[in-house]
């Protein structure tokens, strides 16, 4: 179905969501449907709609004009819903098996109707329960490799690429990342949240000029390097998975940014889960290494088969781009680990550790390793993450 516009925005209810999907012909008018609001994020309403007799189901997602975590005092543009819908369609054009199908989008209502993935598990929740998801890194590495190359200047004509950059301009959501990932955790800002026991460690971080310099350089790259279309919020909570399937969701933060950003966020969240575990960490470290290897192999294969850049015949250019991409990913992983430990938005991997002593120790280690990654971006290889916890 195509994107349409209605006359006026209004938040959906469970009743009006059912009326919408029937109006769209996604269900018959006579079907008895059940709708349940299941959104647990900070920015959207999410309705699960199902026919209990046939088990046919869909998801209706609507952006709110403000951040739920704060309220109407934090207004947000509804255009992010259109960006998310467009990104899912774009990702689906390259890796259809790795994203949910989009059935309908309405710009004015900021509504996207899409495939229901409730037969899968949010990978963060599964990893916390000890799942390993053997194909997770294979799928995410392939997803990132395809998107990174095919939306870059190496695959698109320069004018087309510039038009895509404008299409995915996403200032409100980028501002959240710029503040909550790259800025606030490195200063004594009210939005930060952490245990009193961590105060000495946090103040040491705030007083480390070298760490802050590296964070500022990575922020500047995020602000200026429109290399490729990125998901913008690719953590394990934005991925549904099972032993056989992987689906990337929620790209409302999508915009044109650095090659290494999504990779760094994903790696950081795998590492945070490994840090939260007492045992069985090896699958997480294997995923980190394999994600990079699959990304590198996918990007390299596309470089050789689909490149439109005359200078790409020089293999040194490919080597330089891949090297810089991984080094940036290491730095972005450091920022992500730090902000998920002391910033506004934490992760359950650490916060739900039952022993208070072990939780504090894990967070203290997270801060230490986040700092190390920022200061040693050129020295950490994919297979060395395991050694950081020894």
């Amino acid at each position: 179905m195509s994107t349409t516009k209605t006359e006026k925005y209004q938040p959906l209810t469970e009743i009006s969501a059912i009326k919408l999907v029937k109006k769209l012909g996604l269900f018959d008018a006579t079907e008895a449907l059940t709708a349940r609001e299941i959104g647990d994020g900070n920015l959207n309403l999410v309705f699960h709609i199902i026919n209990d007799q046939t088990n046919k189901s869909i998801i209706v997602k609507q952006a709110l004009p403000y951040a739920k975590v704060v309220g109407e005092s934090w207004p947000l543009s509804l255009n992010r819903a259109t960006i998310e819908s467009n990104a899912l369609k774009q990702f689906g054009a390259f890796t259809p098996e790795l994203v949910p199908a989009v059935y309908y989008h309405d710009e004015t209502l900021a509504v996207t109707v899409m495939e229901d993935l409730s037969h899968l598990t949010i990978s963060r929740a599964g990893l916390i329960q000890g799942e390993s998801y053997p194909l997770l890194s294979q799928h995410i590495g392939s997803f990132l490799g395809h998107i990174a190359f095919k939306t870059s200047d190496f695959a698109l004509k320069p004018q087309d690429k510039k038009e895509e950059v404008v299409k995915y301009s996403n200032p409100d959501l980028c501002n959240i990342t710029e503040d909550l990932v790259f800025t606030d955790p490195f200063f004594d800002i009210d939005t930060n949240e952490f245990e009193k026991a961590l105060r000495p460690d946090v103040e040491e971080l705030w007083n480390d000029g070298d760490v802050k310099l590296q964070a500022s350089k990575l922020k500047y790259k995020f602000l200026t390097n429109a290399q490729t279309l990125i998901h913008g919020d690719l953590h394990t909570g934005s991925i549904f998975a099972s032993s056989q399937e992987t689906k990337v969701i929620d790209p409302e933060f999508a915009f044109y940014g650095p090659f290494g950003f999504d990779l760094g966020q994903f790696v950081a969240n795998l590492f945070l889960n490994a840090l939260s575990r007492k045992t069985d960490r090896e699958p997480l470290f294997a995923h980190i290494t394999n994600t990079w290897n699959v990304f590198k192999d996918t990007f390299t294969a596309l470089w050789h088969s689909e490149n439109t850049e005359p200078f790409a015949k020089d293999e040194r250019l490919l080597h330089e781009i891949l090297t810089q991409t991984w080094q940036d990913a290491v730095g972005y992983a450091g920022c992500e680990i730090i902000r998920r430990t002391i910033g506004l938005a934490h992760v359950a991997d650490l916060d739900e550790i039952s022993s208070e002593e072990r939780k504090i120790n894990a967070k203290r280690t997270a801060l230490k390793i986040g700092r190390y990654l920022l200061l040693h971006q050129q020295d950490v290889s994919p297979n060395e993450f395991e050694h950081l916890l020894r």
Side-chain angles (χ1 to χ4, degrees), residues 14-280:
E14 292 173 346
I15 294 175
S16 60
I18 289 176
K19 289 181 178 179
L20 173 65
V21 298
K22 286 187 174 182
K23 179 180 178 181
L24 295 173
L26 296 171
F27 292 91
D28 291 338
T30 59
E31 286 187 78
L33 303 179
T34 301
R36 185 165 56 96
E37 208 283 304
I38 60 172
D40 60 357
N42 295 320
L43 306 177
N44 308 287
L45 298 172
V46 181
F47 298 92
H48 179 257
I49 299 178
I50 185 170
N51 180 324
D52 292 318
Q53 298 299 316
T54 65
N55 285 326
K56 177 183 176 181
S57 58
I58 58 174
I59 294 295
V60 176
K61 182 175 181 179
Q62 183 181 40
L64 290 169
Y66 54 85
K68 280 166 53 177
V69 68
V70 176
E72 296 184 14
S73 63
W74 188 344
L76 292 172
S77 169
L78 293 174
N79 185 56
R80 69 184 192 276
T82 298
I83 287 176
E84 176 176 11
S85 176
N86 288 338
L88 284 173
K89 293 174 185 176
Q90 184 69 83
F91 297 160
F94 303 137
T95 57
E97 72 283 6
L98 298 177
V99 294
V102 175
Y103 303 135
Y104 170 82
H105 177 69
D106 186 299
E107 291 185 11
T108 304
L109 278 179
V111 163
T112 302
V113 183
M114 67 188 82
E115 178 184 2
D116 178 23
L117 302 176
S118 57
H119 64 290
L120 304 175
T121 303
I122 290 291
S123 63
R124 185 186 305 284
L127 291 171
I128 289 173
Q129 294 300 317
E131 296 288 343
S132 59
Y133 300 122
L135 297 179
L136 179 64
S137 52
Q138 176 72 31
H139 290 161
I140 296 302
S142 177
F143 171 82
L144 291 175
H146 277 93
I147 305 309
F149 181 85
K150 290 189 174 183
T151 62
S152 75
D153 286 294
F154 299 109
L156 299 176
K157 294 179 180 179
Q159 185 61 37
D160 293 340
K161 159 74 180 312
K162 291 176 176 64
E163 291 176 356
E164 289 295 290
V165 172
V166 174
K167 174 181 175 181
Y168 285 99
S169 177
N170 200 355
D172 281 4
L173 278 294
C174 285
N175 182 64
I176 292 175
T177 302
E178 291 150 16
D179 287 346
L180 300 187
V181 176
F182 293 114
T183 307
D184 294 359
F186 300 93
F187 296 89
D188 190 356
I189 302 293
D190 290 342
T191 56
N192 292 325
E193 184 177 331
F194 52 86
E195 293 82 355
K196 290 183 180 180
L198 291 175
R199 186 82 192 185
D201 305 88
V202 175
E203 290 185 348
E204 184 179 356
L205 175 74
W206 290 341
N207 291 324
D208 191 327
D210 291 336
V211 167
K212 294 170 84 167
L213 175 62
Q214 295 306 316
S216 70
K217 290 163 67 175
L218 288 161
K219 178 181 178 180
Y220 185 69
K221 285 186 177 182
F222 183 84
L223 289 166
T224 61
N225 282 18
Q227 293 178 308
T228 189
L229 179 62
I230 66 173
H231 179 285
D233 196 29
L234 190 64
H235 52 77
T236 51
S238 295
I239 301 168
F240 274 99
S242 70
S243 62
Q244 297 297 318
E245 289 185 82
T246 306
K247 298 280 189 177
V248 175
I249 63 169
D250 292 349
E252 60 190 318
F253 281 76
F255 87 113
Y256 265 75
F259 281 132
F261 183 75
D262 283 345
L263 181 64
Q265 285 210 315
F266 180 63
V267 165
N269 281 268
L270 290 176
F271 185 82
L272 287 168
N273 184 260
L275 179 58
S276 72
R277 297 186 180 194
K278 293 181 180 179
T279 59
D280 198 28

Side-chain angles (χ1 to χ4, degrees), residues 367-387:
L367 291 177
K368 178 181 177 181
I369 291 173
R371 292 176 66 187
Y372 182 87
L373 294 176
L374 280 168
L375 295 173
H376 297 86
Q377 295 167 49
Q378 298 180 357
D379 305 323
V380 179
S381 66
N383 59 8
E384 288 176 351
F385 272 79
E386 180 175 3
H387 305 299

